[in-house]
């Protein structure tokens, strides 16, 4: 089996709770969503077998973990399963970055993952439909792992979407941190909104952090 992979590179994780750590990024090609803020519209890919990918990863040294990112890596879950079953033996930590929708696919590989970074796709932020049911199911499965949730906050983000997301996190019993990520790290006008949402998260007793995208600020990939 082969996977469509756009690029493999080492850089600094710019988002979420592992921000600032060096990772090797495996960017899987393709995502069936179309979030309006998407900054990973990929134009090409190369096909990798499990052996090709393992060899590519073995050429990197001194990093914290391997980030499976995209696109949406869970859309190529059968390759991932085969790869992870082979690669796990004594290798680095595996970090999954995902849109948090394909919960059935998550079930197939969750046992091989160490860290899960899930996006909560708020319709008022993404400009596409909501995925409340999918996110609810995803959180239930991911909760057994080192797991956090990110929500992109832009000018269009509605407080009602935040409240629904918080209810879902709360009902799940998960203690995952919710990261409020400004859509644009240079957009200082979002500060008041972020502070307002932060206080609402506290009302729901959900752990919350506001974290900007570091890679955009320091100008790395
Ligand atoms: S889920 Fe991620 S990769 Fe897919 S369109 Fe949205 S931002 Fe882009």
């Amino acid at each position: 089996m082969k996977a469509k992979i756009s690029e493999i590179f080492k850089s600094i994780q710019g988002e979420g709770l592992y921000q600032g750590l060096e990772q090797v990024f495996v960017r899987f090609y393709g995502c069936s969503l179309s979030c309006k803020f998407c900054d990973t519209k990929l134009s090409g890919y190369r096909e990798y077998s499990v052996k090709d990918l393992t060899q590519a990863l073995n050429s990197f040294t001194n990093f914290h973990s391997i980030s499976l990112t995209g696109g949406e890596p869970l859309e190529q879950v059968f390759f991932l399963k085969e790869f992870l079953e082979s690669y796990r033996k004594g290798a680095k930590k595996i970090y999954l970055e995902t849109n948090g929708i394909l919960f059935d696919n998550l079930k197939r590989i969750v046992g091989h993952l160490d860290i899960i970074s899930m996006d909560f796709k708020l319709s008022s932020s993404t400009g596409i439909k909501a995925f409340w049911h999918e996110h609810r199911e995803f959180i239930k499965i991911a909760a057994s792992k080192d797991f956090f949730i990110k929500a992109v906050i832009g000018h269009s983000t509605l407080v009602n979407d935040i409240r629904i997301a918080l209810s879902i996190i709360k009902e799940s019993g998960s203690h995952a941190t919710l990261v409020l990520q400004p859509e644009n790290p240079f957009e200082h006008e979002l500060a008041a909104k972020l502070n307002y949402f932060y206080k609402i998260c506290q009302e729901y007793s959900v752990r919350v952090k506001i974290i900007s995208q570091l890679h955009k600020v320091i100008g790395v990939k």
Side-chain angles (χ1 to χ4, degrees), residues 19-128:
Q19 188 182 70
L21 287 174
E22 273 198 310
Q23 292 186 317
V24 172
F25 292 81
V26 180
R27 192 175 292 292
F28 284 80
Y29 177 81
C31 173
S32 40
L33 303 190
S34 52
C35 307
K36 69 179 181 190
F37 50 72
C38 183
D39 57 5
T40 53
K41 292 198 170 69
L42 305 167
S43 54
Y45 61 85
R46 213 192 100 186
E47 290 198 325
Y48 283 74
S49 65
V50 166
K51 192 174 161 207
D52 297 333
L53 179 55
T54 304
Q55 275 174 356
L57 291 172
N58 286 344
S59 68
F60 295 97
T61 53
N62 297 327
F63 59 94
H64 173 265
S65 45
I66 294 168
S67 173
L68 306 173
T69 185
E72 173 49 53
L74 286 178
E75 291 188 7
Q76 300 190 59
V77 73
F78 293 106
F79 173 86
L80 275 181
K81 189 168 187 310
E82 195 181 316
F83 166 68
L84 291 170
E85 282 170 359
S86 139
Y87 188 74
R88 280 299 285 166
K89 300 170 189 106
K92 289 280 184 181
K93 282 183 187 286
I94 304 290
Y95 177 111
L96 175 71
E97 298 204 53
T98 170
N99 60 26
I101 289 167
L102 299 171
F103 57 90
D104 278 332
N105 287 357
L106 176 66
K107 271 186 215 160
R108 297 176 199 273
I109 60 162
V110 68
H112 298 295
L113 304 175
D114 298 296
I115 306 159
I116 302 176
S117 164
M118 171 196 138
D119 282 357
F120 213 123
K121 295 294 180 189
L122 305 176
S123 181
S124 55
S125 298
T126 59
I128 57 175

